[in-house]
Amino acid sequence: MAVARQRVTIAAIAEAAGVSVPTVSRVLNGRSDVSPQTRELIERLLREHDYRPRNSRHSGRARLVDLVFNDLDSPWALELIRGVEDVAHASGVGTVVSQVHRRTTATRQWLQNLRARASDGVIFVTSDVAEPVHNELHRLKVPVVIIDPAGGAASDVPTIGATNWSGGRTATDHLLSLGHRRIGFVAGPKNLLCSRARLDGYRAALEAAGIRADEALIETGDFRHESGFVAGCRLLDLADPPTAVFASSDLMALGVCEAARRRGMRVPEQLSVVGFDDLPESQWASPPLTTIRQPLAEMGALAARTVLRLSRGESIETPRVELVTKLMVRESTAPAR
């Protein structure tokens, strides 16, 4: 059934989706007790028909959610933005994306801008909230959610992440199951919890297989192509190089593949490579990349629902949520020769 584009009501959206009015209300309120398929359908209809809820509490100003990155130069940032924007738009809320570059001056300017326009909530990505910033946001009564916190977030700040340790172990177990025993690892930044968890998962898989982790096979990067390429060169130039490499981001994994290509090595015939993220371009790489799928858009969507619930004064069930990662087997891994 088509819904008229003028003066769209919750009842009309519910009828179009084949659900009850309370179900649509639960989606608008960011409640978790709606199936993913139903939520996706309702949010799509809300976007298509440009539904705008009437809310006197926010009358007189635009409703906004702030999404704050340290850096915006990675495709995974776009996936997070997509997830946040889908939920925000369906709830009649705008999204303000900022980049602070980890600089105090940039953070100070961002806070000044926030005070000037007001915000329903703030979502920080891969960062800690400095105490002065946390105190100021608390004073302004602006709720905060963190996606992939760098360290230990304050106890009153909800965090959204993925099962990074499990993903790291699963990726390494996959390579072990193919007969690889010298498995290189390219870690992400040491200051991030997600990076340390993936490294711990790698070590745990090796230990469970009775293999001592060789520190010469562990390199550190920054999640970007270039660092993966540099780390791959170092690993492949060892006197006894690895037969497989697990890189803790897709971009670094593609950098490792380029390092192998420049040395005349074929992936996966001479080197198996696994990434982490499952960015859209990973399946279009040559060969398509085996990787751990991190549900980035879903993480963004959940962060948006959580911060909007907090903005309405609602309580949340748990302060720390980890979404499940999944191994995506493609053509960049093969049995050890």
Side-chain angles (χ1 to χ4, degrees):
M1 171 183 174
V3 180
R5 287 191 176 274
Q6 295 182 344
R7 307 174 72 94
V8 178
T9 65
I10 290 181
I13 295 293
E15 185 176 356
V19 300
S20 66
V21 169
T23 299
V24 177
S25 296
R26 285 197 292 271
V27 171
L28 285 169
N29 291 328
R31 295 272 296 275
S32 59
D33 51 345
V34 180
S35 72
Q37 296 83 358
T38 301
R39 182 185 301 281
E40 183 179 351
L41 171 61
I42 292 171
E43 289 177 347
R44 177 173 59 78
L45 288 169
L46 291 167
R47 289 194 302 272
E48 287 178 356
H49 301 292
D50 199 25
Y51 175 80
R52 289 290 184 272
R54 296 182 178 89
N55 191 334
S56 59
R57 175 179 175 269
H58 296 279
S59 61
R61 70 169 175 86
R63 297 189 62 195
L64 299 171
V65 165
D66 279 74
L67 178 58
V68 183
F69 292 87
N70 288 317
D71 298 292
L72 271 169
D73 57 352
S74 171
W76 63 262
L78 298 178
E79 292 297 299
L80 288 173
I81 292 171
R82 182 166 62 84
V84 171
E85 173 62 19
D86 282 352
V87 170
H89 182 80
S91 301
V93 179
T95 305
V96 179
V97 179
S98 303
Q99 180 176 244
V100 297
H101 298 289
R102 298 185 177 89
R103 295 197 306 266
T104 302
T105 53
T107 302
R108 189 182 301 121
Q109 181 63 52
W110 170 77
L111 261 179
Q112 184 176 331
N113 294 339
L114 184 85
R115 293 189 197 99
R117 57 177 158 71
S119 176
D120 285 78
V122 179
I123 301 170
F124 289 100
V125 181
T126 60
S127 65
D128 285 326
V129 182
E131 186 174 354
V133 175
H134 180 266
N135 291 341
E136 178 63 6
L137 293 173
H138 183 73
R139 185 186 72 79
L140 295 170
K141 295 182 172 55
V142 176
V144 175
V145 172
I146 303 178
I147 297 176
D148 269 340
S155 59
D156 60 339
V157 176
T159 62
I160 309 295
T163 52
N164 290 291
W165 184 91
S166 175
R169 173 152 187 176
T170 298
T172 311
D173 281 338
H174 170 65
L175 293 170
L176 289 167
S177 73
L178 293 173
H180 295 281
R181 291 300 177 265
R182 282 191 64 75
I183 301 172
F185 180 75
V186 185
K190 295 179 180 179
N191 65 310
L192 295 182
L193 279 176
C194 62
S195 297
R196 299 197 295 272
R198 293 169 199 177
L199 173 58
D200 290 345
Y202 160 82
R203 291 182 183 278
L206 292 179
E207 182 180 353
I211 299 173
R212 177 179 170 274
D214 185 346
E215 296 303 315
L217 293 179
I218 300 175
E219 293 284 343
T220 300
D222 60 8
F223 288 153
R224 297 179 176 88
H225 280 108
E226 294 82 1
S227 67
F229 173 75
V230 171
C233 290
R234 289 176 179 164
L235 290 170
L236 297 178
D237 288 343
L238 291 172
D240 186 10
T243 63
V245 175
F246 166 36
S248 54
S249 80
D250 284 353
L251 296 184
M252 292 197 301
L254 295 175
V256 171
C257 289
E258 177 61 15
R261 187 190 69 80
R262 294 195 187 186
R263 281 156 179 72
M265 299 177 66
R266 297 187 306 278
V267 175
E269 293 85 354
Q270 294 170 288
L271 180 73
S272 286
V273 180
V274 178
F276 199 111
D277 283 332
D278 195 25
L279 297 175
E281 55 264 51
S282 66
Q283 60 184 307
W284 301 108
S286 182
L289 186 66
T290 295
T291 187
I292 297 295
R293 181 180 185 273
Q294 181 175 205
L296 294 165
E298 292 92 329
M299 289 162 62
L302 179 57
R305 293 187 192 106
T306 302
V307 84
L308 289 174
R309 287 183 64 185
L310 292 172
S311 75
R312 294 188 295 269
E314 298 178 19
S315 60
I316 57 173
E317 291 76 19
T318 176
R320 171 66 181 173
V321 177
E322 290 189 343
L323 300 186
V324 176
T325 53
K326 179 182 179 181
L327 176 66
M328 309 297 292
V329 178
R330 298 193 178 104
E331 297 171 31
S332 66
T333 51
R337 297 180 65 176

